Amino acid sequence: MKLIDCADVLVMGAGPAALCIVAELVQEGLQVKALASHAPDQRWPNTYGIWAEEVESLGMASLLGHRWSNTVSYFGNGIDEHSLSPVQHNFDYGLFDQAALQKALLLKCGDVTWHLETAAKIHYLGADTEVTCRSSNTYRARVVIDASGHKSSFIRRPNHGPVAQQAAYGVVGRFSAPPVDIKQFVLMDFRPDHLTEAELKEPPSFLYAMDLGDGVFFVEETSLACAPPLSWNSLKARLHSRLSNRGIEIEEILHEEHCLFPMNLPLPDRNQSLLAFGGSASMVHPASGYMVGALLRRAPTLAKHLAQAIAIQPELDSEALARRGWEVLWTPELVNRHRLYQFGLGRLMSFDEARLRNFFATFFRLPREDWSGFLANTLPLSRLLIVMLRLFGMSNWNVRTGMIFGAPRSKT
Ligand SMILES: Cc1cc2nc3c(=O)[nH]c(=O)nc-3n(C[C@H](O)[C@H](O)[C@H](O)COP(=O)(O)OP(=O)(O)OC[C@H]3O[C@@H](n4cnc5c(N)ncnc54)[C@H](O)[C@@H]3O)c2cc1C
């Protein structure tokens, strides 16, 4: 067993959360170590989408590999003539160029060494924390940040019952006809005209789709959140029936995406000696499933506060440092916003497909800064409350009743 010397901070993971926080800790001049089950420059399995304004505000727009100005959604029933025309978002959306994002973050990480290790056990020694890996190697730091994703077994969190998952099945490929318009991005196509009466009573799903250029498109059947989650097989069947209803066949599959991650994971216990960042810290936006913008925005503040605490109060032990971190990561303001989003998601999960379409059609009639701020989680709590009340006021009675009481779906 090899004991490796003590760092200020040890980060576990090599996904977007780990790279974001390591980069900022290094910028603060801290001595940082990292360990992960795979190399930090190994291509991430997911592609990350984000509204362009969010990356622009971070000065990172050049890291987008794709960008669309023609961004639309469909919330009609797919039968009435007016429902065939899309809702125009008039707001650019982008996909990160993964390699460029990883490279930019790694560049900011400087010469931090990533040990290719899988953490197995964590011991709190008071002043420091020790992580023992499957190899039996042990790493020590004044505080450890778990950025190992939402499946982390190290982070303590309350059990609030079944966790709703976002599930999706997608195909990057070539099609007999364009599944969306050329140069178009479709955030949500909820049109249900390919579904049978029985299928209409099942938890709803929508199409997320985009033109990737050169005759290649990405189409993904997505269930926003459901517990238990919709199976990939049923999402795949729905995608095929949606496409064939429009006379479109998949001609070539270049890549298949199977997506499953928790949307309303309870917030971690903020009194534990281990800090977390990213999926393990429940940072996924409970109403949209997005997180990368939040990682890029929130990493600098967390790193700055940790660096100050370590520099000014060298006597702070792991528990005290972790507590400082949790206070910054989940301020009362952010906790309250999270609760509101979780409440909203709970209501949406109870809606049948017609009520859900109605809800989203109203949501995207909000002023753009309100709906985009809601989706990015950049609205202050007071504004968020006003926006939610405004949305309630704009909704029809069917949606309002669902917002107040929930709306159990009738069983097939
Ligand atoms: C298919 C899919 C698509 C998504 N699309 C978007 C999107 O478009 N936009 C968006 O903002 N969000 C998206 N998300 C949500 C979220 O941003 C991602 O889940 C994101 O990858 C979470 O980042 P993370 O770094 O917290 O965890 P992960 O990306 O899961 O990374 C975890 C890291 O920890 C390592 N690890 C795990 N266990 C250990 C251990 N015991 N010891 C050491 N290392 C360990 C892993 O090897 C990995 O490097 C998507 C999620 C999925 C699943």
Side-chain angles (χ1 to χ4, degrees):
M1 184 184 86
K2 212 164 38 162
L3 180 74
I4 298 176
D5 62 348
C6 186
D8 290 325
V9 187
L10 171 68
V11 176
M12 305 192 298
L19 265 56
C20 284
I21 193 63
V22 169
E24 295 303 327
L25 292 165
V26 167
Q27 297 301 308
E28 292 295 332
L30 289 171
Q31 205 219 329
V32 184
K33 286 196 185 304
L35 62 87
S37 312
H38 68 75
D41 55 359
Q42 183 182 310
R43 197 184 155 86
W44 291 326
N46 313 323
T47 17
Y48 298 111
I50 190 163
W51 292 100
E53 190 185 75
E54 280 188 77
V55 260
E56 275 163 8
S57 68
L58 291 157
M60 298 173 88
S62 62
L63 297 178
L64 292 180
H66 293 272
R67 182 173 175 143
W68 296 267
S69 294
N70 179 2
T71 57
V72 302
S73 288
Y74 294 86
F75 301 118
N77 62 12
I79 299 165
D80 306 338
E81 200 167 327
H82 76 272
S83 80
L84 299 175
S85 46
V87 169
Q88 304 284 344
H89 294 309
N90 299 317
F91 201 44
D92 285 14
Y93 186 86
L95 269 193
F96 276 110
D97 172 339
Q98 246 169 296
L101 174 62
Q102 262 176 286
K103 201 169 155 194
L105 291 172
L106 282 172
L107 206 65
K108 268 182 110 179
C109 293
D111 54 9
V112 167
T113 308
W114 249 274
H115 301 275
L116 287 187
E117 297 267 21
T118 297
K121 276 196 186 128
I122 301 185
H123 296 106
Y124 305 102
L125 309 171
D128 307 322
T129 299
E130 216 172 75
V131 176
T132 305
C133 296
R134 283 195 196 149
S135 63
S136 299
N137 284 338
T138 298
Y139 299 82
R140 190 179 283 191
R142 295 207 40 206
V143 67
V144 174
I145 301 182
D146 181 349
S148 68
H150 58 81
K151 288 187 189 145
S152 166
S153 56
F154 304 113
I155 289 295
R156 243 180 15 240
R157 66 184 85 241
N159 181 351
H160 291 164
V163 173
Q165 313 262 346
Q166 180 158 128
Y169 167 79
V171 170
V172 176
R174 295 180 192 280
F175 298 79
S176 58
V180 299
D181 287 355
I182 302 302
K183 294 191 176 174
Q184 188 177 59
F185 165 74
V186 178
L187 179 68
M188 292 173 157
D189 182 347
F190 262 110
R191 286 173 295 179
D193 48 311
H194 57 295
L195 298 175
T196 61
E197 279 301 312
E199 286 168 338
L200 284 171
K201 291 184 178 147
E202 292 170 4
S205 60
F206 61 89
L207 178 76
Y208 167 83
M210 57 199 77
D211 173 15
L212 294 173
D214 296 328
V216 175
F217 295 84
F218 178 50
V219 290
E220 186 166 63
E221 191 72 24
T222 306
S223 149
L224 181 64
C226 202
L230 261 71
S231 73
W232 286 323
N233 275 346
S234 68
L235 288 164
K236 184 175 181 176
R238 284 191 197 184
L239 179 64
H240 288 166
S241 101
R242 189 186 286 278
L243 291 173
S244 69
N245 186 47
R246 290 195 214 144
I248 299 169
E249 279 172 30
I250 302 175
E251 289 191 333
E252 187 186 359
I253 295 181
L254 301 171
H255 170 72
E256 276 180 305
E257 179 167 281
H258 294 87
C259 170
L260 188 67
F261 63 90
M263 290 284 281
N264 60 354
L265 204 56
L267 290 185
D269 174 355
R270 269 104 61 212
N271 280 319
Q272 57 194 305
S273 305
L274 178 63
L275 194 50
F277 194 69
S280 52
S282 308
M283 286 173 68
V284 164
H285 190 311
S288 67
Y290 288 81
M291 187 173 71
V292 175
L295 295 177
L296 293 164
R297 277 191 300 275
R298 286 161 78 179
T301 319
L302 177 60
K304 196 173 286 304
H305 278 79
L306 281 179
Q308 278 168 359
I310 287 171
I312 299 167
Q313 290 171 280
E315 73 284 2
L316 291 182
D317 62 9
S318 291
E319 190 185 347
L321 283 172
R323 201 173 317 118
R324 290 289 167 89
W326 284 117
E327 282 164 9
V328 175
L329 196 60
W330 283 110
T331 59
E333 153 94 18
L334 284 167
V335 168
N336 284 323
R337 282 198 236 162
H338 194 81
R339 287 195 182 124
L340 272 180
Y341 283 128
Q342 286 205 328
F343 167 81
L345 181 71
R347 288 294 186 258
L348 290 196
M349 285 195 303
S350 72
F351 287 11
D352 64 15
E353 69 85 26
R355 203 183 306 232
L356 201 57
R357 284 191 283 113
N358 219 308
F359 168 84
F360 278 116
T362 314
F363 178 81
F364 283 104
R365 287 211 313 273
L366 284 166
R368 198 183 64 196
E369 58 277 18
D370 287 345
W371 68 252
S372 63
F374 181 102
L375 291 181
N377 191 7
T378 50
L379 298 177
L381 181 62
S382 52
R383 181 81 206 153
L384 181 62
L385 273 166
I386 291 169
V387 168
M388 287 172 100
L389 287 172
R390 187 172 189 174
L391 180 59
F392 183 82
M394 286 163 61
S395 301
N396 65 22
W397 276 109
N398 182 266
V399 171
R400 282 186 197 171
T401 327
M403 284 176 177
I404 299 171
F405 302 111
R409 260 188 302 275
S410 54
K411 298 265 181 272
T412 46

